[in-house]
Structures are given as structure tokens and as C-alpha cells.
């Protein structure tokens, strides 16, 4: 078990381009979450999956954002037509929901800079 | 939505000192977790503690759900404890919604 893995670690893009991030959760975990963090703030919830089903999306997730988790394994987060305001750290987390312990384990994040 | 307030916002300690971080929340919760974000940005889960008391080495946490607060205790602090400590809660809507709301954090600096 190597923990939650995110790629790439850094992404620099020009405004208007599309970007895609990947997250590989801890293998036995059934929930996968996407959060966004800007400097000096706590992480903000974007969306989460229970297995392959996307169960909740934040109002922060505009129609330019889409997330998938095919077959309940890895997940991708795509941002279309990036804007400078999208610059942030994008964090992925996973958990095993048992009803007793729902600890979230975070990856190292993908730092997005939109120029 | 639920509000999460952490105090103090900043804390400077001498190595070896003890400290208490507080998290207040505005509504009933079914999930509360404490995290440490180290200076390299990695978030580490410290405790899952929607109620009661837990201890892990020099760290312990207590959540009094009826009073809507949680405390994180750090004893004999070390320079490696430096970073930002976040409290995160999920409002209790009668089931797990997966939406953890984070506070703004307490930035801890431990001086040698």
C-alpha cells in the first residue's frame, strides 16, 4: 500500500487550455474525494465517488469541471477552458467507509498554475 | 451550512511546550477529523473523532459533540510538529454525505 497517488505534481497551462489530473486511491478504499485548496485556506470539497458513482458535487464545481471514476478505481478530474481563478492545489483523498471509521487519506496534490 | 471556527489562528511555541487547539462548529456533526498539513503541503490524518477521546503518542483529541467543540492537545512539542492543523466536520443530515467542511486552520510554529 503506497497511499493515495496523484499525477502530475505540477501543471502550468495557459488560460483557455484543458487540463486533466489523475488520482489513484488506496486500493481497498471505496470512496474517493476531490478537494481544492488555495493559499492560506483549508481544503474545499468539490465532489466524491462511492465506488464508481458520483454522489455529490459542490456548487464550486462549475460546468467546466468534470470528474470520472471508471470501474471504481482511479479517478480523473478535467478542467475545460481554464481560467486564472482555477489556479490552486487540487487534492484527492480516499477512505474506506465502514460505519465505524471514515478517516480520509490525502494524496500530495496537483498544483495548477494558469497563466 | 455548518460553520467551523478554529483558534488560535497562529501559535508559536518553544520546543518542549504543550498546546491546545480548539475547533468550534455550529451544528450537529456525524464526522470530525483532525489533520496536520506539513510545510511541504502533505495532509496527514491525525484523528477520526466524532465524539469521545483518543490518544496517539504525544497527541490526543477530545470531541464534546453536545457542546459542539473539539480540542487537539499536543504535548512536548517538537519542531516537526510545525505546520497547519485543520479540523474538518461533516454536518449530520442522518447519513454520511461525504462532504467534509474544513476550518481555516491553526498555524503552529515550534522553535528549537
Amino acid at each position: 500500500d503506497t497511499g493515495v497517488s496523484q499525477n502530475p505534481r505540477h501543471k502550468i497551462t495557459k488560460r483557455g487550455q484543458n487540463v486533466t489530473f489523475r488520482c489513484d486511491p488506496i486500493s481497498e478504499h471505496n470512496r474517493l474525494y476531490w478537494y481544492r485548496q488555495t493559499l492560506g485556506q483549508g481544503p474545499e470539497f468539490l465532489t466524491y465517488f462511492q465506488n464508481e458513482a458520483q454522489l455529490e458535487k459542490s456548487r464550486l464545481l462549475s460546468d467546466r469541471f468534470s470528474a470520472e471514476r471508471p470501474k471504481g478505481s482511479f479517478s480523473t478530474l478535467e478542467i475545460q477552458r481554464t481560467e486564472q481563478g482555477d489556479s490552486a492545489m487540487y487534492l484527492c483523498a480516499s477512505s474506506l467507509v465502514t460505519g465505524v471509521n471514515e478517516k480520509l487519506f490525502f494524496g500530495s496534490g496537483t498544483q495548477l498554475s494558469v497563466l | 451550512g455548518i460553520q467551523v471556527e478554529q483558534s488560535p489562528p497562529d501559535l508559536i511555541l518553544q520546543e518542549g511546550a504543550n498546546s491546545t487547539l480548539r475547533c468550534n462548529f455550529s451544528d450537529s456533526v456525524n464526522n470530525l477529523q483532525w489533520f496536520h498539513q506539513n510545510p511541504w503541503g502533505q495532509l496527514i490524518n491525525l484523528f477520526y473523532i466524532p465524539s469521545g477521546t483518543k490518544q496517539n503518542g504525544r497527541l490526543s483529541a477530545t470531541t464534546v459533540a453536545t457542546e459542539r467543540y473539539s480540542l487537539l492537545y499536543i504535548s512536548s512539542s517538537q519542531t516537526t510538529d510545525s505546520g497547519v492543523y485543520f479540523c474538518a466536520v461533516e454536518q449530520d443530515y442522518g447519513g454520511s454525505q461525504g462532504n467534509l467542511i474544513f476550518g481555516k486552520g491553526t498555524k503552529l510554529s515550534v522553535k528549537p
Side-chain angles (χ1 to χ4, degrees):
Chain A
D1 178 6
T2 57
V4 179
S5 176
Q6 290 189 248
N7 287 289
R9 287 298 311 275
H10 304 275
K11 180 71 177 178
I12 300 173
T13 190
K14 292 183 179 179
R15 189 175 52 188
Q17 298 294 304
N18 300 342
V19 294
T20 301
F21 312 138
R22 177 179 170 122
C23 171
D24 287 90
I26 294 172
S27 58
E28 66 269 24
H29 285 184
N30 53 5
R31 277 198 182 171
L32 185 148
Y33 310 77
W34 285 100
Y35 281 80
R36 182 174 72 183
Q37 187 176 24
T38 53
L39 203 60
Q41 302 296 316
E44 296 173 297
F45 172 81
L46 293 178
T47 188
Y48 91 97
F49 294 82
Q50 175 98 5
N51 300 312
E52 65 272 12
Q54 189 173 14
L55 296 187
E56 186 161 341
K57 292 194 288 187
S58 162
R59 60 178 174 77
L60 294 173
L61 215 65
S62 76
D63 57 5
R64 296 185 297 104
F65 289 70
S66 63
E68 295 183 345
R69 192 185 183 196
K71 302 179 183 178
S73 56
F74 71 92
S75 176
T76 58
L77 178 68
E78 181 183 16
I79 309 174
Q80 296 182 328
R81 306 180 302 282
T82 51
E83 302 172 356
Q84 288 185 326
D86 296 331
S87 295
M89 176 73 82
Y90 289 84
L91 295 162
C92 176
S94 69
S95 68
L96 177 62
V97 178
T98 64
V100 176
N101 190 335
E102 301 183 9
K103 269 191 167 187
L104 258 67
F105 294 87
F106 279 87
S108 299
T110 293
Q111 181 67 53
L112 173 66
S113 298
V114 181
L115 305 179
Chain B
I2 193 167
Q3 303 298 311
V4 183
E5 292 184 1
Q6 291 188 242
S7 60
D10 296 279
L11 185 59
I12 300 174
L13 296 176
Q14 207 63 36
E15 198 169 26
N18 303 329
S19 62
T20 301
L21 282 57
R22 186 177 180 102
C23 171
N24 291 335
F25 41 96
S26 60
D27 214 325
S28 300
V29 299
N30 58 13
N31 188 344
L32 188 147
Q33 303 189 32
W34 283 96
F35 296 87
H36 174 219
Q37 189 164 42
N38 66 24
W40 298 271
Q42 178 68 52
L43 275 159
I44 306 295
N45 194 304
L46 300 175
F47 294 102
Y48 168 81
I49 186 164
S51 64
T53 297
K54 290 185 178 179
Q55 180 157 6
N56 184 3
R58 296 181 296 103
L59 302 181
S60 63
T62 295
T63 297
V64 183
T66 54
E67 300 289 327
R68 298 183 182 169
Y69 73 88
S70 183
L71 302 174
L72 178 69
Y73 305 96
I74 304 174
S75 64
S76 304
S77 58
Q78 300 176 357
T79 56
T80 51
D81 295 331
S82 296
V84 182
Y85 289 81
F86 289 105
C87 168
V89 304
E90 180 182 344
Q91 191 166 356
D92 188 358
Y93 289 112
S96 178
Q97 304 294 321
N99 181 355
L100 273 183
I101 305 299
F102 281 72
K104 292 186 181 297
T106 291
K107 185 176 181 181
L108 174 65
S109 299
V110 181
K111 305 298 185 185

